[in-house]
Amino acid sequence: MKGRSPQKKIRSSLSVVSSISNFFNEYNSTIKEGLIALLICAVGDLIAGIILGKMTFFLETFPGLLVIIPGAIGMRGNIFSSFASRLSTNLHIGIISAKFELSEQLNYNIFASFVLTLILSLFLGIVAKLMCLLLHYPSMSLIDFILICVIAGIISNLIMLPITMFVSFKSFQHGWDPDNITSPIIAAFGDLFTLPAIILSIFILQALNVNWILKDVTLLIILLVVFVTFIHCYRLSDETKTILRQSTPVLLLCSFLGCSAGGILNSAVESLLSNPSLLTLIPLFSGESGSLISILGARLSSGLHSGLVESTTRPQGYAVSNFSVCFVLSIVIFPLIGFLAEASSVILKTAGVGFVKIMEISTLSGLILVSVMVFLVYYISITSYNHNLDPDNIVIPISTSITDSISSLILISISLIILGVLI
């Protein structure tokens, strides 16, 4: 008996090594594709941060504009990540052809995404104004809020729709899984184009300010277009009706959360974090966290539709394996974005906290966030599926909005602990 004990230990160790090896062999392409997409997203978030830093003049000239920005960026990611997730599911199960051809199903998804952009842009402008009034922030007029949000939404929509379709179809045609590619890349493009679209909408608003009648007429036209397109889209087909009915309430809530969290976190950042490298890390951390959770949400959604994931209260099999993929990607990506944040401070010759400390902050914050979100995303997925709601319309918007809301709070808390800063 004593002689067999070491043999059991050896077999146990070999079994663990074999299981790990099998996991990496099975999910090798998933990890590689996800990592590439997250790296692209990191570049987009870094560039977005630089653009935001150059918007000081606009933020001063149009008070309250800063309240719009987090909600606008989140809205773009939510709408088009959901659109990409629906395309991915339809490509996986063969409803949409892998060849880039316009079809009834694809046209319905395009039109529904455009209508959602109009509705949520209008809602975002109204919520931003109400928040400024509630918190006693100086702000521009309600008309200005609405025009900036809707015009910026239309501009970015014209850019994001073709990009989303191109990325989804091309990734599928090349044998990549769109669930691993589209959400992070779409989020990166959303971050990149949202801020320039807002700047362009401000220039258009300034041109409209020449004549108040022209400005009021433009607002009336926008309100009419939003109302007419929503009614038409709702009545167009069962597909568009389902998308609007399931997505609109969720996205309205997400826009409100994003806008609210943006105002609260911005004030918290100003009072607690004056270090440039930590400020740079915040959009990087939030963007990468949202993209990582989007990958998981898209894969679970496709898994539920295809039968790979069972909607049971206890995660198992394919779902647990995808949790593991998230943690593997986290171990790689979160130290990296910490390094990028500190490197930007070194290049720009601003104060930093040091590479070791900022990588510790980013890594620990990321692992805590992912540990919470993997289970939350799973239960959101199975709950929506069990209630006959399409996870493609529910999971990613809610998951990324919750991630946006808590990611910066976790990052700030861990920063205070590691740096020994007291509130």
Side-chain angles (χ1 to χ4, degrees), residues 388-412:
N388 296 319
L389 300 173
D390 189 346
D392 288 327
N393 300 328
I394 306 294
V395 177
I396 290 179
I398 291 182
S399 303
T400 53
S401 294
I402 294 174
T403 301
D404 290 342
S405 299
I406 68 174
S407 62
S408 293
L409 293 175
I410 291 175
L411 183 64
I412 290 171

Short mmCIF file of all heavy atoms in Angstrom, two decimals, residues 388-412:
data_model
loop_
_atom_site.label_atom_id
_atom_site.label_comp_id
_atom_site.label_asym_id
_atom_site.label_seq_id
_atom_site.Cartn_x
_atom_site.Cartn_y
_atom_site.Cartn_z
N ASN A 388 -37.43 32.87 -22.81
CA ASN A 388 -37.70 33.05 -24.25
C ASN A 388 -37.27 34.41 -24.78
O ASN A 388 -37.89 34.96 -25.70
CB ASN A 388 -39.19 32.81 -24.55
CG ASN A 388 -39.61 31.39 -24.25
OD1 ASN A 388 -38.89 30.44 -24.54
ND2 ASN A 388 -40.79 31.24 -23.64
N LEU A 389 -36.23 34.96 -24.19
CA LEU A 389 -35.62 36.19 -24.69
C LEU A 389 -34.31 35.83 -25.37
O LEU A 389 -33.59 34.95 -24.91
CB LEU A 389 -35.36 37.18 -23.54
CG LEU A 389 -36.59 37.64 -22.75
CD1 LEU A 389 -36.16 38.48 -21.55
CD2 LEU A 389 -37.54 38.44 -23.64
N ASP A 390 -34.02 36.49 -26.49
CA ASP A 390 -32.80 36.19 -27.24
C ASP A 390 -31.60 36.74 -26.49
O ASP A 390 -31.47 37.96 -26.33
CB ASP A 390 -32.89 36.82 -28.64
CG ASP A 390 -31.76 36.35 -29.54
OD1 ASP A 390 -30.78 35.78 -29.02
OD2 ASP A 390 -31.84 36.59 -30.76
N PRO A 391 -30.67 35.88 -26.03
CA PRO A 391 -29.49 36.38 -25.31
C PRO A 391 -28.66 37.37 -26.13
O PRO A 391 -27.98 38.22 -25.55
CB PRO A 391 -28.69 35.09 -25.05
CG PRO A 391 -29.70 34.00 -25.06
CD PRO A 391 -30.72 34.42 -26.09
N ASP A 392 -28.71 37.27 -27.46
CA ASP A 392 -27.97 38.21 -28.30
C ASP A 392 -28.42 39.65 -28.07
O ASP A 392 -27.64 40.59 -28.24
CB ASP A 392 -28.15 37.86 -29.79
CG ASP A 392 -27.40 36.60 -30.18
OD1 ASP A 392 -26.33 36.35 -29.60
OD2 ASP A 392 -27.88 35.87 -31.05
N ASN A 393 -29.70 39.84 -27.72
CA ASN A 393 -30.23 41.18 -27.50
C ASN A 393 -30.10 41.64 -26.05
O ASN A 393 -30.26 42.83 -25.76
CB ASN A 393 -31.72 41.22 -27.87
CG ASN A 393 -31.96 40.86 -29.32
OD1 ASN A 393 -31.13 41.13 -30.18
ND2 ASN A 393 -33.09 40.24 -29.59
N ILE A 394 -29.81 40.71 -25.14
CA ILE A 394 -29.86 41.01 -23.71
C ILE A 394 -28.48 41.00 -23.06
O ILE A 394 -28.09 41.93 -22.35
CB ILE A 394 -30.76 39.99 -22.97
CG1 ILE A 394 -32.15 39.92 -23.62
CG2 ILE A 394 -30.83 40.31 -21.49
CD1 ILE A 394 -32.96 41.17 -23.49
N VAL A 395 -27.73 39.93 -23.30
CA VAL A 395 -26.54 39.63 -22.50
C VAL A 395 -25.45 40.68 -22.62
O VAL A 395 -24.98 41.24 -21.62
CB VAL A 395 -25.97 38.23 -22.87
CG1 VAL A 395 -24.69 37.96 -22.08
CG2 VAL A 395 -27.00 37.16 -22.60
N ILE A 396 -25.02 40.97 -23.86
CA ILE A 396 -23.90 41.88 -24.04
C ILE A 396 -24.20 43.29 -23.53
O ILE A 396 -23.39 43.87 -22.80
CB ILE A 396 -23.43 41.89 -25.51
CG1 ILE A 396 -22.76 40.55 -25.85
CG2 ILE A 396 -22.45 43.04 -25.76
CD1 ILE A 396 -22.28 40.44 -27.27
N PRO A 397 -25.36 43.89 -23.88
CA PRO A 397 -25.63 45.24 -23.36
C PRO A 397 -25.63 45.33 -21.84
O PRO A 397 -25.00 46.21 -21.26
CB PRO A 397 -27.01 45.57 -23.95
CG PRO A 397 -27.13 44.71 -25.15
CD PRO A 397 -26.41 43.45 -24.80
N ILE A 398 -26.35 44.41 -21.18
CA ILE A 398 -26.41 44.45 -19.72
C ILE A 398 -25.05 44.15 -19.11
O ILE A 398 -24.59 44.84 -18.18
CB ILE A 398 -27.46 43.44 -19.19
CG1 ILE A 398 -28.87 43.91 -19.57
CG2 ILE A 398 -27.35 43.29 -17.68
CD1 ILE A 398 -29.97 43.01 -19.05
N SER A 399 -24.36 43.14 -19.63
CA SER A 399 -23.07 42.73 -19.07
C SER A 399 -22.03 43.84 -19.17
O SER A 399 -21.33 44.15 -18.21
CB SER A 399 -22.55 41.48 -19.79
OG SER A 399 -23.48 40.43 -19.71
N THR A 400 -21.93 44.44 -20.36
CA THR A 400 -20.91 45.49 -20.55
C THR A 400 -21.27 46.74 -19.76
O THR A 400 -20.37 47.43 -19.25
CB THR A 400 -20.76 45.84 -22.04
OG1 THR A 400 -22.05 46.17 -22.60
CG2 THR A 400 -20.16 44.69 -22.81
N SER A 401 -22.55 47.06 -19.61
CA SER A 401 -22.95 48.24 -18.83
C SER A 401 -22.63 48.04 -17.35
O SER A 401 -22.13 48.96 -16.68
CB SER A 401 -24.44 48.52 -19.01
OG SER A 401 -24.72 48.90 -20.33
N ILE A 402 -22.90 46.86 -16.84
CA ILE A 402 -22.55 46.56 -15.44
C ILE A 402 -21.04 46.58 -15.28
O ILE A 402 -20.50 47.10 -14.29
CB ILE A 402 -23.13 45.20 -15.01
CG1 ILE A 402 -24.66 45.26 -15.00
CG2 ILE A 402 -22.61 44.81 -13.64
CD1 ILE A 402 -25.32 43.93 -14.73
N THR A 403 -20.33 46.02 -16.27
CA THR A 403 -18.87 46.03 -16.23
C THR A 403 -18.34 47.44 -16.21
O THR A 403 -17.43 47.78 -15.43
CB THR A 403 -18.29 45.27 -17.44
OG1 THR A 403 -18.78 43.93 -17.44
CG2 THR A 403 -16.77 45.23 -17.39
N ASP A 404 -18.88 48.32 -17.07
CA ASP A 404 -18.46 49.71 -17.09
C ASP A 404 -18.70 50.38 -15.74
O ASP A 404 -17.89 51.20 -15.29
CB ASP A 404 -19.21 50.48 -18.18
CG ASP A 404 -18.79 50.06 -19.59
OD1 ASP A 404 -17.72 49.45 -19.72
OD2 ASP A 404 -19.54 50.34 -20.54
N SER A 405 -19.81 50.04 -15.11
CA SER A 405 -20.19 50.68 -13.86
C SER A 405 -19.27 50.30 -12.71
O SER A 405 -18.94 51.12 -11.86
CB SER A 405 -21.64 50.33 -13.49
OG SER A 405 -22.52 50.78 -14.49
N ILE A 406 -18.84 49.03 -12.67
CA ILE A 406 -18.06 48.58 -11.51
C ILE A 406 -16.56 48.49 -11.77
O ILE A 406 -15.78 48.44 -10.81
CB ILE A 406 -18.58 47.21 -10.99
CG1 ILE A 406 -18.30 46.10 -12.00
CG2 ILE A 406 -20.05 47.29 -10.66
CD1 ILE A 406 -18.66 44.71 -11.47
N SER A 407 -16.14 48.49 -13.04
CA SER A 407 -14.72 48.30 -13.34
C SER A 407 -13.86 49.42 -12.77
O SER A 407 -12.83 49.18 -12.13
CB SER A 407 -14.50 48.18 -14.85
OG SER A 407 -14.89 49.36 -15.51
N SER A 408 -14.30 50.66 -12.97
CA SER A 408 -13.52 51.79 -12.47
C SER A 408 -13.55 51.86 -10.95
O SER A 408 -12.56 52.25 -10.32
CB SER A 408 -14.03 53.10 -13.07
OG SER A 408 -13.78 53.14 -14.46
N LEU A 409 -14.68 51.46 -10.37
CA LEU A 409 -14.77 51.46 -8.91
C LEU A 409 -13.80 50.45 -8.30
O LEU A 409 -13.13 50.73 -7.30
CB LEU A 409 -16.21 51.15 -8.48
CG LEU A 409 -17.26 52.20 -8.82
CD1 LEU A 409 -18.64 51.70 -8.43
CD2 LEU A 409 -16.95 53.52 -8.13
N ILE A 410 -13.73 49.26 -8.91
CA ILE A 410 -12.77 48.25 -8.45
C ILE A 410 -11.35 48.74 -8.64
O ILE A 410 -10.50 48.61 -7.75
CB ILE A 410 -12.99 46.91 -9.20
CG1 ILE A 410 -14.32 46.28 -8.79
CG2 ILE A 410 -11.84 45.93 -8.91
CD1 ILE A 410 -14.67 45.01 -9.56
N LEU A 411 -11.08 49.34 -9.80
CA LEU A 411 -9.73 49.82 -10.11
C LEU A 411 -9.30 50.90 -9.10
O LEU A 411 -8.17 50.88 -8.61
CB LEU A 411 -9.69 50.38 -11.53
CG LEU A 411 -8.33 50.86 -12.03
CD1 LEU A 411 -7.33 49.70 -12.10
CD2 LEU A 411 -8.47 51.51 -13.40
N ILE A 412 -10.20 51.83 -8.81
CA ILE A 412 -9.88 52.89 -7.86
C ILE A 412 -9.62 52.30 -6.47
O ILE A 412 -8.65 52.67 -5.79
CB ILE A 412 -11.04 53.92 -7.79
CG1 ILE A 412 -11.10 54.73 -9.09
CG2 ILE A 412 -10.87 54.86 -6.60
CD1 ILE A 412 -12.32 55.61 -9.21
#
